[in-house]
Amino acid sequence: MNIIDSLRWRYATKKFDNDKILPQEKIDVLTEAFNLTATSYGLQPLKLVVISNKELQEKLTEHSWNQQQVTHASHVLVFCIENNIDEKYISQHFNNVKTVRDTPDEILNPFKEQLVSSFKNKETDEITSWAAKQAYLAMGNLLTVCAIEKIDACPMEGFIPEKYNEILELNKLGLSSILVMPVGYRAVDDMFSELKKVRRSIKDTVITM
């Protein structure tokens, strides 16, 4: 199956098979893909929480507008952003660049100083909005990977972030939840899996100049 066929196969899964669990190698593919996602400046202001504890999933369902995908999915992925993108965080990124690429400080420092100055001048809400956009990039990437790997998924904004933060104790980790994506295998009786995909035509969505 090529990538276009895979994307046609995928859909926002409404009902998961509660008895089918993703093997660890599939989870490893998803976490590696998450880590390889492109982010602005390469700063990766994100972390991914991978949940497979059914009791915890049931607890989170209450704060996900009772969407049962959270309970019945094999795993639940919670996309989080770092709460503090400050000089220390940015410096750690450039230290990592230096270690991996052996890039001299005289090449890295001008860009590092520019970023540090830029983020110091941003309001907290602006940084939060910027980081949240990176979470959407990561989810989009993982949705494509799921399609290729024949993993069913349901991207979700419908949850209460504050409750997720509290239950998962994300504040202690300096994180805030942004998006949720249950993953697993579709139930055979999920009627939505058989529905035709509805999209505008390419001529209505693509402009060639």
Side-chain angles (χ1 to χ4, degrees):
M1 192 177 286
N2 65 37
I3 190 168
I4 297 302
D5 287 335
S6 296
L7 291 173
R8 286 174 177 150
W9 170 87
R10 69 147 298 276
Y11 73 110
T13 306
K14 300 300 187 290
K15 186 176 182 181
F16 287 94
D17 187 330
N18 195 40
D19 296 322
K20 289 186 178 180
I21 304 299
L22 288 170
Q24 186 58 45
E25 54 263 31
K26 292 290 189 182
I27 298 300
D28 291 343
V29 169
L30 293 180
T31 55
E32 185 74 15
F34 170 82
N35 202 47
L36 289 170
T37 296
T39 59
S40 180
Y41 309 118
L43 285 178
Q44 291 183 281
L46 309 171
K47 285 192 178 176
L48 184 69
V49 178
V50 181
I51 301 169
S52 59
N53 181 308
K54 291 300 179 183
E55 183 178 336
L56 186 55
Q57 287 174 229
E58 289 180 11
K59 193 172 183 179
L60 291 172
T61 298
E62 179 184 351
H63 306 293
S64 310
W65 308 113
N66 288 314
Q67 296 179 84
Q68 293 303 304
Q69 296 99 313
V70 176
T71 293
H72 297 305
S74 168
H75 293 67
V76 175
L77 309 183
V78 182
F79 296 74
C80 303
I81 61 170
E82 300 276 358
N83 291 334
N84 296 306
I85 309 297
D86 52 15
E87 182 173 356
K88 179 181 177 181
Y89 183 90
I90 294 171
S91 294
Q92 287 173 339
H93 166 69
F94 281 92
N95 288 339
N96 193 29
V97 174
K98 182 178 179 179
T99 298
V100 173
R101 296 179 175 171
D102 197 26
T103 308
D105 286 334
E106 55 265 29
I107 293 177
L108 293 176
N109 283 343
F111 186 31
K112 180 178 77 172
E113 291 167 4
Q114 177 187 345
L115 279 185
V116 169
S117 175
S118 175
F119 275 80
K120 278 184 177 178
N121 291 324
K122 295 180 188 296
E123 298 292 335
T124 300
D125 287 349
E126 185 180 359
I127 296 175
T128 298
S129 175
W130 166 82
K133 291 174 182 177
Q134 314 313 306
Y136 280 87
L137 283 174
M139 175 176 275
N141 188 37
L142 260 61
L143 282 171
T144 299
V145 172
C146 282
I148 293 169
E149 292 289 323
K150 291 297 170 288
I151 298 169
D152 287 298
C154 183
M156 291 171 49
E157 292 180 303
F159 73 105
I160 303 173
E162 294 79 10
K163 289 296 185 180
Y164 268 63
N165 296 346
E166 178 185 337
I167 292 169
L168 301 176
E169 299 186 333
L170 296 178
N171 291 332
K172 294 181 180 179
L173 302 174
L175 302 172
S176 295
S177 57
I178 296 294
L179 295 165
V180 175
M181 191 168 83
V183 294
Y185 296 108
R186 65 188 69 177
V188 294
D189 60 344
D190 186 355
M191 59 173 285
F192 290 91
S193 68
E194 301 299 326
L195 297 180
K196 291 183 177 180
K197 193 175 292 293
V198 179
R199 292 292 187 275
R200 295 162 65 191
S201 68
I202 290 179
K203 69 181 179 63
D204 290 330
T205 59
V206 177
I207 299 172
T208 303
M209 295 185 177

